[in-house]
């Protein structure tokens, strides 16, 4: 019943910006931590950012200072603002949360950064 739907990916030149969105349903959104992961070809999926119910955030070292995770509990939506994008940021980005000891994932949105 939990559904996560990502949007906002696309093709962008190095140094540019994108904002990803993840709309959640089927869960009590304001009681859940929300996460963004990414997966590049040939590489394992990695945690990019997480945000707690309090708004406290954690970031992968390589994106600190460039990415910002935020949430709007009234809209049941979590965002990932990505600035100063690099080719190494190219990946499929996935929204994630946990409910009843199970992980749930969105379908993913592709981000491609060219130089």
């Amino acid at each position: 019943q939990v559904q996560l739907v990502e949007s906002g990916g696309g093709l962008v030149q190095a140094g540019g910006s994108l904002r990803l969105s993840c709309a959640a349903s089927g869960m009590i959104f304001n009681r859940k931590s929300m996460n963004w992961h990414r997966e590049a070809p040939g590489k394992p999926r990695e945690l990019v950012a997480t945000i707690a119910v309090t708004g406290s955030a954690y970031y992968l070292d390589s994106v600190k200072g460039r990415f910002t995770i935020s949430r709007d509990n009234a809209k049941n939506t979590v965002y990932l603002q990505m600035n100063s994008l690099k080719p190494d940021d190219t990946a499929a980005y996935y929204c994630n949360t946990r409910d009843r000891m199970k992980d749930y994932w969105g379908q993913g949105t592709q981000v491609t950064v060219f130089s």
Side-chain angles (χ1 to χ4, degrees):
Q1 293 179 332
V2 175
Q3 292 189 349
L4 304 171
V5 181
E6 302 100 331
S7 62
L11 181 66
V12 64
Q13 190 171 34
S17 298
L18 287 172
R19 189 176 78 153
L20 308 183
S21 299
C22 172
S25 62
M27 65 184 205
I28 306 174
F29 183 82
N30 64 2
R31 297 179 68 90
K32 300 288 187 180
S33 293
M34 299 296 298
N35 314 298
W36 284 100
H37 290 73
R38 67 186 182 188
E39 184 175 355
K43 295 182 178 180
R45 190 169 296 189
E46 63 182 352
L47 178 66
V48 176
T50 186
I51 186 166
V53 295
T54 61
S56 297
Y58 167 86
Y59 299 95
L60 181 68
D61 283 346
S62 62
V63 309
K64 286 180 179 177
R66 300 189 297 118
F67 290 13
T68 302
I69 188 171
S70 62
R71 65 192 298 158
D72 186 339
N73 290 338
K75 296 181 178 180
N76 287 356
T77 301
V78 62
Y79 304 94
L80 186 67
Q81 178 67 46
M82 305 185 295
N83 298 325
S84 301
L85 283 162
K86 304 174 180 179
D88 284 350
D89 297 318
T90 295
Y93 283 72
Y94 297 89
C95 184
N96 158 258
T97 193
R98 297 189 72 191
D99 186 66
R100 293 180 171 87
M101 299 186 293
K102 291 180 65 70
D103 280 300
Y104 291 86
W105 302 88
Q107 84 287 351
T109 185
Q110 178 67 37
V111 172
T112 301
V113 185
F114 65 93
S115 60

PDB file of all heavy atoms in Angstrom, residues 4 18 20 25 40 53-54 56 80 88 93-94 101 103:
ATOM      1  N   LEU A   4       5.655   5.303  -3.519  1.00  0.00           N
ATOM      2  CA  LEU A   4       6.590   6.409  -3.647  1.00  0.00           C
ATOM      3  C   LEU A   4       6.792   6.681  -5.128  1.00  0.00           C
ATOM      4  O   LEU A   4       7.111   5.761  -5.885  1.00  0.00           O
ATOM      5  CB  LEU A   4       7.933   6.071  -2.991  1.00  0.00           C
ATOM      6  CG  LEU A   4       7.885   5.653  -1.518  1.00  0.00           C
ATOM      7  CD1 LEU A   4       9.258   5.146  -1.073  1.00  0.00           C
ATOM      8  CD2 LEU A   4       7.453   6.822  -0.646  1.00  0.00           C
ATOM      9  N   LEU A  18      19.208  20.525 -10.509  1.00  0.00           N
ATOM     10  CA  LEU A  18      17.932  19.846 -10.648  1.00  0.00           C
ATOM     11  C   LEU A  18      17.310  19.714  -9.271  1.00  0.00           C
ATOM     12  O   LEU A  18      18.024  19.650  -8.272  1.00  0.00           O
ATOM     13  CB  LEU A  18      18.094  18.452 -11.250  1.00  0.00           C
ATOM     14  CG  LEU A  18      18.419  18.308 -12.737  1.00  0.00           C
ATOM     15  CD1 LEU A  18      18.720  16.847 -13.055  1.00  0.00           C
ATOM     16  CD2 LEU A  18      17.270  18.812 -13.586  1.00  0.00           C
ATOM     17  N   LEU A  20      14.693  17.081  -7.411  1.00  0.00           N
ATOM     18  CA  LEU A  20      13.908  15.864  -7.447  1.00  0.00           C
ATOM     19  C   LEU A  20      12.802  15.918  -6.408  1.00  0.00           C
ATOM     20  O   LEU A  20      12.975  16.486  -5.334  1.00  0.00           O
ATOM     21  CB  LEU A  20      14.790  14.642  -7.170  1.00  0.00           C
ATOM     22  CG  LEU A  20      16.052  14.484  -8.023  1.00  0.00           C
ATOM     23  CD1 LEU A  20      16.755  13.180  -7.668  1.00  0.00           C
ATOM     24  CD2 LEU A  20      15.721  14.548  -9.505  1.00  0.00           C
ATOM     25  N   SER A  25       2.502   8.051  -0.383  1.00  0.00           N
ATOM     26  CA  SER A  25       1.133   7.763   0.024  1.00  0.00           C
ATOM     27  C   SER A  25       1.089   6.403   0.703  1.00  0.00           C
ATOM     28  O   SER A  25       2.026   5.609   0.603  1.00  0.00           O
ATOM     29  CB  SER A  25       0.172   7.802  -1.172  1.00  0.00           C
ATOM     30  OG  SER A  25       0.523   6.819  -2.132  1.00  0.00           O
ATOM     31  N   ALA A  40      24.293   3.973 -10.035  1.00  0.00           N
ATOM     32  CA  ALA A  40      24.916   4.160 -11.331  1.00  0.00           C
ATOM     33  C   ALA A  40      25.237   2.799 -11.927  1.00  0.00           C
ATOM     34  O   ALA A  40      25.438   1.828 -11.190  1.00  0.00           O
ATOM     35  CB  ALA A  40      26.180   4.999 -11.196  1.00  0.00           C
ATOM     36  N   VAL A  53      12.238  12.946  11.009  1.00  0.00           N
ATOM     37  CA  VAL A  53      10.957  13.625  11.231  1.00  0.00           C
ATOM     38  C   VAL A  53      11.158  15.030  11.785  1.00  0.00           C
ATOM     39  O   VAL A  53      10.308  15.903  11.585  1.00  0.00           O
ATOM     40  CB  VAL A  53      10.040  12.804  12.152  1.00  0.00           C
ATOM     41  CG1 VAL A  53       9.659  11.497  11.487  1.00  0.00           C
ATOM     42  CG2 VAL A  53      10.704  12.548  13.495  1.00  0.00           C
ATOM     43  N   THR A  54      12.284  15.257  12.476  1.00  0.00           N
ATOM     44  CA  THR A  54      12.608  16.567  13.023  1.00  0.00           C
ATOM     45  C   THR A  54      13.153  17.533  11.985  1.00  0.00           C
ATOM     46  O   THR A  54      13.282  18.725  12.254  1.00  0.00           O
ATOM     47  CB  THR A  54      13.641  16.435  14.138  1.00  0.00           C
ATOM     48  OG1 THR A  54      14.835  15.861  13.601  1.00  0.00           O
ATOM     49  CG2 THR A  54      13.119  15.548  15.264  1.00  0.00           C
ATOM     50  N   SER A  56      16.246  17.015  10.741  1.00  0.00           N
ATOM     51  CA  SER A  56      17.684  16.781  10.732  1.00  0.00           C
ATOM     52  C   SER A  56      18.063  15.960   9.517  1.00  0.00           C
ATOM     53  O   SER A  56      17.356  15.015   9.150  1.00  0.00           O
ATOM     54  CB  SER A  56      18.118  16.070  12.005  1.00  0.00           C
ATOM     55  OG  SER A  56      17.872  16.871  13.144  1.00  0.00           O
ATOM     56  N   LEU A  80      14.921  16.666  -3.157  1.00  0.00           N
ATOM     57  CA  LEU A  80      16.372  16.692  -3.179  1.00  0.00           C
ATOM     58  C   LEU A  80      16.806  17.768  -4.163  1.00  0.00           C
ATOM     59  O   LEU A  80      16.679  17.590  -5.377  1.00  0.00           O
ATOM     60  CB  LEU A  80      16.964  15.336  -3.581  1.00  0.00           C
ATOM     61  CG  LEU A  80      18.488  15.233  -3.492  1.00  0.00           C
ATOM     62  CD1 LEU A  80      18.946  15.311  -2.037  1.00  0.00           C
ATOM     63  CD2 LEU A  80      18.986  13.948  -4.137  1.00  0.00           C
ATOM     64  N   ASP A  88      29.889  12.611 -12.177  1.00  0.00           N
ATOM     65  CA  ASP A  88      29.832  11.494 -11.235  1.00  0.00           C
ATOM     66  C   ASP A  88      28.495  11.380 -10.524  1.00  0.00           C
ATOM     67  O   ASP A  88      28.220  10.366  -9.887  1.00  0.00           O
ATOM     68  CB  ASP A  88      30.944  11.611 -10.192  1.00  0.00           C
ATOM     69  CG  ASP A  88      32.310  11.219 -10.717  1.00  0.00           C
ATOM     70  OD1 ASP A  88      32.381  10.664 -11.835  1.00  0.00           O
ATOM     71  OD2 ASP A  88      33.306  11.460 -10.010  1.00  0.00           O
ATOM     72  N   TYR A  93      18.020   7.852  -9.441  1.00  0.00           N
ATOM     73  CA  TYR A  93      17.790   8.261  -8.065  1.00  0.00           C
ATOM     74  C   TYR A  93      16.468   7.694  -7.572  1.00  0.00           C
ATOM     75  O   TYR A  93      15.445   7.776  -8.256  1.00  0.00           O
ATOM     76  CB  TYR A  93      17.790   9.788  -7.953  1.00  0.00           C
ATOM     77  CG  TYR A  93      19.181  10.379  -8.002  1.00  0.00           C
ATOM     78  CD1 TYR A  93      19.898  10.404  -9.195  1.00  0.00           C
ATOM     79  CD2 TYR A  93      19.790  10.890  -6.860  1.00  0.00           C
ATOM     80  CE1 TYR A  93      21.183  10.914  -9.239  1.00  0.00           C
ATOM     81  CE2 TYR A  93      21.067  11.410  -6.899  1.00  0.00           C
ATOM     82  CZ  TYR A  93      21.769  11.419  -8.091  1.00  0.00           C
ATOM     83  OH  TYR A  93      23.045  11.932  -8.131  1.00  0.00           O
ATOM     84  N   TYR A  94      16.499   7.131  -6.352  1.00  0.00           N
ATOM     85  CA  TYR A  94      15.349   6.444  -5.789  1.00  0.00           C
ATOM     86  C   TYR A  94      14.979   7.017  -4.427  1.00  0.00           C
ATOM     87  O   TYR A  94      15.845   7.226  -3.577  1.00  0.00           O
ATOM     88  CB  TYR A  94      15.635   4.953  -5.612  1.00  0.00           C
ATOM     89  CG  TYR A  94      15.892   4.210  -6.896  1.00  0.00           C
ATOM     90  CD1 TYR A  94      17.174   4.119  -7.416  1.00  0.00           C
ATOM     91  CD2 TYR A  94      14.855   3.587  -7.577  1.00  0.00           C
ATOM     92  CE1 TYR A  94      17.420   3.430  -8.593  1.00  0.00           C
ATOM     93  CE2 TYR A  94      15.088   2.898  -8.747  1.00  0.00           C
ATOM     94  CZ  TYR A  94      16.369   2.820  -9.249  1.00  0.00           C
ATOM     95  OH  TYR A  94      16.609   2.130 -10.410  1.00  0.00           O
ATOM     96  N   MET A 101       8.933  -2.689   9.204  1.00  0.00           N
ATOM     97  CA  MET A 101      10.186  -3.415   9.045  1.00  0.00           C
ATOM     98  C   MET A 101      10.516  -3.791   7.602  1.00  0.00           C
ATOM     99  O   MET A 101      11.385  -4.630   7.362  1.00  0.00           O
ATOM    100  CB  MET A 101      10.213  -4.661   9.930  1.00  0.00           C
ATOM    101  CG  MET A 101      10.087  -4.368  11.412  1.00  0.00           C
ATOM    102  SD  MET A 101      10.286  -5.830  12.449  1.00  0.00           S
ATOM    103  CE  MET A 101       8.821  -6.755  12.010  1.00  0.00           C
ATOM    104  N   ASP A 103      11.466  -2.235   3.591  1.00  0.00           N
ATOM    105  CA  ASP A 103      11.892  -1.104   2.789  1.00  0.00           C
ATOM    106  C   ASP A 103      11.000  -0.960   1.564  1.00  0.00           C
ATOM    107  O   ASP A 103      10.647  -1.945   0.913  1.00  0.00           O
ATOM    108  CB  ASP A 103      13.339  -1.263   2.348  1.00  0.00           C
ATOM    109  CG  ASP A 103      14.327  -0.889   3.434  1.00  0.00           C
ATOM    110  OD1 ASP A 103      14.299   0.271   3.875  1.00  0.00           O
ATOM    111  OD2 ASP A 103      15.123  -1.761   3.838  1.00  0.00           O
TER     112      ASP A 103
END
